[in-house]
Amino acid sequence: MKLRFKTLLYIGIALCVLITAFCTLSFYVILSSFNSIEENQAFKNAGRLTEIVRKELSRIETLANDWALWDDSYSFVGNGNPSFVDTNLQDQMIANLNINVLIFMDTAGKIIYGTAFDSVKKTKEPLSEGILESIAANKGLFEQKDEKGIQFNGILMTNDVPLLLAARSILTSKLEGPSRGVLIFGVYMDNAFVENAGKQIRRDFKLERADREMSLETAEALVSLKHHTTPVIKMSKNDMLSVFIPFADIHGKTCLIANMTMVREIYKEGRTAFLTFAGGILVTGGVIYLLIVFILERAVLGKIRNFTEIFGRIRQVSDLTLRVDEKGGDEISMLGKEINKMLSALEQAKTTQQYTEISMVNNEKRYQLIIEQAPIGIVTCHLDERFRTVNKAFCDMLGYSAEELLQGKELKDVTFPQDYESAQKHFEEHLEKNLQTIRLEKRFVRKDARMINVLMLSQVYRDLLGDPQYIIATVQDITEQIEKQKRQDKLEEELRQSQQLESIGRLAGGFAHDLNNFLVPILGYTDMLIAETSKNDPLYNGFMEIKNSAERAKSLSQKFLALSSRQMLEVTTLDINDIIKSFKSILNRLIREDIKIEYRLSPDISMMKGDYTQIEQVIMNLAVNAKDAMLKGGVLSFETYDETLFKEVPDAHPPLKPGKYVVLKVTDTGTGISKAAMSHLFEAFYTTKERGKGTGLGLSMVHGIVFQHKGGIRVWTEEGKGTSFKIYLPASEDRPEQIKEKTVLTDETRRGNGEVVLIVEDEPSVLRIVSSELKRNGYDVIEAESGQAAIELVKDAQSRIDILLTDVIMPEMDGKELYKRLSEIRPDLKVLYMSGHTYDILSQHDIQAPDAQFISKPFSMEVLRTKINNLLDG
Ligand SMILES: Nc1ncnc2c1ncn2[C@@H]1O[C@H](COP(=O)(O)OP(=O)(O)OP(=O)(O)O)[C@@H](O)[C@H]1O
Ligand SMILES: [Mg+2]
């Protein structure tokens, strides 16, 4: 039930009760007082009526006394004086006495004189039968008992009319007897009497005889009157009041009842006044109620409702800017003011709190966003290593979804097993030392089983008591970095190696050039001496020894040139299978018998461009190394096939570009190569072999040659199991050329037949030996020490010049330029370049991959002659 309703109900009830109580009380108090006024009034009237009767009785008794103690009366009764009646009892005199009955009775009870009197007609009339009967019936009352006689008054009920009666013994005026009888005066209690008495008391009444049939109400009253001598009042329903006044007869018995009925004017007035008053009270009560309601509504309930409404809205919309009604200065307004103050405080607090919350939420969101978008993994783990939170970068790093990591994985599950223990130890050590950040490099295993290197920076998050709660870590995938570093290291290593090779190459180039120039005459003259000396000659072996040494020096110089990729290549289109096949015999001689040689050569192998001899060098070096690695025997296999690389192979030596390659794979079941050796494998002079057994130039050479052929080498090795070298050489679409017969040194090399050879050489010793050797072999020779000199000679020479044999690099004019100039003079001139210089230097002089037109120093005279002959024949 609403307070408003309750309050109004209670106030209403209270007012009603109050008004009812008040009215009831008033009703009873007022009406009862009115009642008693009316009763008093009634009693008064009754008293007055009684008084009238009493006075009337008293009056007639006085009259009777006067008349009875009058001597005339005395004598009238004694003597029977007839004039007495005429004189004293005339109508007028009786009318003056105002009586209705006059009886002179003698002592014997005989009526001497008796008359009735009609008060209206004012005439005597005979006593009625009823009166006479009653007098006779009450004869005893009139008997004289003593001298004084009798004297009384009272009501005598006659059959006709009640009679107010007074009797007195007739004596002398001196009150002397004997009594001669009784004088009786009577007054009718008839209607006239009633009317007259009514007038006196200003109230109508009716007189009812008790010995006759009475009205019902009088009869009822009579019952009460038996117990009361005083009048009885009865209220009737119709606002009437009846007073029943009993009158006793001369015997003391109730004989008459006067019924005085009055309209209850006072009561009615009183009641009307009360009702008006009650109505007034009710109206006032109503007005007061309304006033209370109004005041209560305005001052209390309205405000409480306002409070409720505002509180409700605040609760619903959480709007703390709303304010309750605080108008007025009463207690509720004060409460309203206090509530508003509280709301303001709350609003401020809320604003502050909201601001704090918003900024906290924003910060949280911002941090989450930052964490989520961070390019490095950010992760929190429980102390038991279960993942707590993971960001996208971390998930991407490991290839797991966040759900997979958070629901079933631990740090241990993604840590590379071999790293777990050490990482754990490291972590615990740092935790013990209470270090802020724990830095750890370890490996993780991705969902796809790929391994990644990570740098993990961890911190232990502690609560306020310092107890560890969880671990926060940033995880950076450094695989790329490590790979890059490795590549960098490798590149640096390669650069170092290539710089080393470069310097070795330059050194080798210069050295080889000079050495070659020295070797040309040494080999030339040795050949000459050997040719001139018989085998039985003790010097023959010495010359042979010189030749061998010179040959070894030559091969050493070639090795240097090869490893520095500075050789002049004689590039042709080759079938690698052919090279291997024709190399078989040499291999068989080279490789020990405890080593089994296998060949798996692809029949559909592509062609390649290269220098036959150099490729042979590669095969040989690899074979020798394999042999050396298989000291206890094993299998050496040669395999060839085509391989297409679709992307760059950076770990090849040198790195391989995408493309189609001819692959030569040489595999042994030897010792394998240690990690340490692997990093120095292609370095010049790197060897693990005993002093004198290896120079450490073999693989450098292979590298140099392969490099010069724009190929690459890949190595697989496992210690104790063996090694595989894969030589990649670019495939060619060209058809294979007929492999030129290797310049075979035979004694039958055709001698010259007077062909004119112009030799241009700035190195005199070379010029001399070449010149004399050619001359010795039947050629005509023109010598020149420079290009300019040669041009002069050709200009002057009348004879034919068949071939120009010229050094390539000369101080003023190089061989190429010389040939160009001379060709203008002698268009059919053929040329054979010779040079001890390296490939790179020669290529600067437009000497590319020379074939028949080029001969490298040092050369044997047979090879020179063969080349010259081939040119002349071609
Ligand atoms: N097939 C192989 N098996 C095992 N180790 C090898 C193999 N090939 C090369 N090596 C190692 O590489 C080193 C360098 O080889 P490289 O051919 O350059 O020089 P070398 O053989 O020692 O001397 P050289 O070839 O000049 O006579 C060798 O000393 C050897 O330790
Ligand atoms: Mg070797």
Side-chain angles (χ1 to χ4, degrees), residues 591-618:
I591 304 301
R592 298 191 312 274
E593 280 178 358
D594 57 349
I595 294 169
K596 191 183 166 204
I597 307 174
E598 288 178 356
Y599 297 95
R600 283 187 292 279
L601 310 178
S602 167
D604 311 318
I605 195 87
S606 295
M607 294 300 109
M608 51 152 292
K609 292 226 176 234
D611 185 317
Y612 191 101
T613 319
Q614 299 303 320
I615 301 297
E616 269 187 347
Q617 280 295 321
V618 169

Side-chain angles (χ1 to χ4, degrees), residues 521-539:
I522 292 172
L523 279 168
Y525 285 119
T526 311
D527 279 347
M528 220 187 279
L529 288 169
I530 289 168
E532 296 297 322
T533 312
S534 93
K535 285 184 181 169
N536 301 324
D537 195 314
L539 288 174

Side-chain angles (χ1 to χ4, degrees), residues 615-851:
I615 301 297
E616 269 187 347
Q617 280 295 321
V618 169
I619 298 169
M620 186 155 86
N621 272 293
L622 293 177
V624 170
N625 281 348
K627 178 200 77 179
D628 292 346
M630 294 188 286
L631 291 171
K632 291 175 185 166
V635 180
L636 168 63
S637 72
F638 291 90
E639 209 176 328
T640 59
Y641 51 87
D642 282 353
E643 189 175 319
T644 304
L645 298 177
F646 295 101
K647 57 180 184 179
E648 202 172 313
V649 182
D651 62 343
H653 305 273
L656 281 164
K657 292 200 172 73
K660 193 175 176 190
Y661 290 91
V662 167
V663 179
L664 163 64
K665 187 174 173 186
V666 182
T667 310
D668 65 60
T669 54
T671 54
I673 307 166
S674 67
K675 256 193 177 175
M678 274 300 277
S679 53
H680 301 286
L681 208 59
F682 298 102
E683 272 178 30
F685 304 111
Y686 176 77
T687 180
T688 57
K689 292 170 189 169
E690 286 170 32
R691 220 182 142 88
K693 286 207 170 166
T695 58
L697 291 175
L699 285 180
S700 323
M701 227 170 91
V702 169
H703 183 272
I705 292 166
V706 172
F707 178 81
Q708 228 177 332
H709 279 79
K710 298 188 169 53
I713 310 163
R714 297 175 84 180
V715 188
W716 281 268
T717 187
E718 205 178 325
E719 280 187 276
K721 288 204 168 171
T723 309
S724 259
F725 280 88
K726 275 172 87 175
I727 309 297
Y728 286 73
L729 297 162
S732 164
E733 297 299 315
D734 291 356
R735 291 187 56 75
E737 290 170 24
Q738 192 61 44
I739 297 170
K740 288 197 182 108
E741 282 295 314
K742 277 190 80 183
T743 313
V744 185
L745 302 176
T746 57
D747 290 341
E748 292 112 50
T749 305
R750 185 169 68 78
R751 285 175 55 83
N753 195 15
E755 292 94 342
V756 183
V757 179
L758 169 57
I759 307 170
V760 186
E761 171 63 65
D762 60 337
E763 181 62 48
S765 63
V766 177
L767 181 63
R768 276 198 298 277
I769 178 63
V770 171
S771 172
S772 57
E773 182 63 18
L774 288 179
K775 279 180 195 161
R776 205 171 60 88
N777 280 289
Y779 296 93
D780 276 351
V781 173
I782 304 170
E783 293 177 14
E785 289 202 351
S786 70
Q788 198 53 49
I791 291 168
E792 298 298 320
L793 280 170
V794 171
K795 275 182 186 169
D796 296 345
Q798 298 301 313
S799 61
R800 65 184 174 106
I801 299 171
D802 297 301
I803 194 160
L804 167 67
L805 175 64
T806 178
D807 194 7
V808 179
I809 295 156
M810 292 177 291
E812 284 154 14
M813 184 190 300
D814 70 9
K816 195 94 184 172
E817 177 66 24
L818 174 64
Y819 175 62
K820 199 181 146 207
R821 301 266 291 270
L822 289 181
S823 310
E824 289 166 9
I825 307 165
R826 300 284 174 95
D828 54 349
L829 185 67
K830 290 179 175 171
V831 65
L832 178 63
Y833 297 107
M834 53 182 177
S835 180
H837 277 285
T838 53
Y839 165 77
D840 54 340
I841 294 173
L842 291 176
S843 58
Q844 288 168 15
H845 294 269
D846 205 18
I847 303 292
Q848 282 302 330
D851 48 356

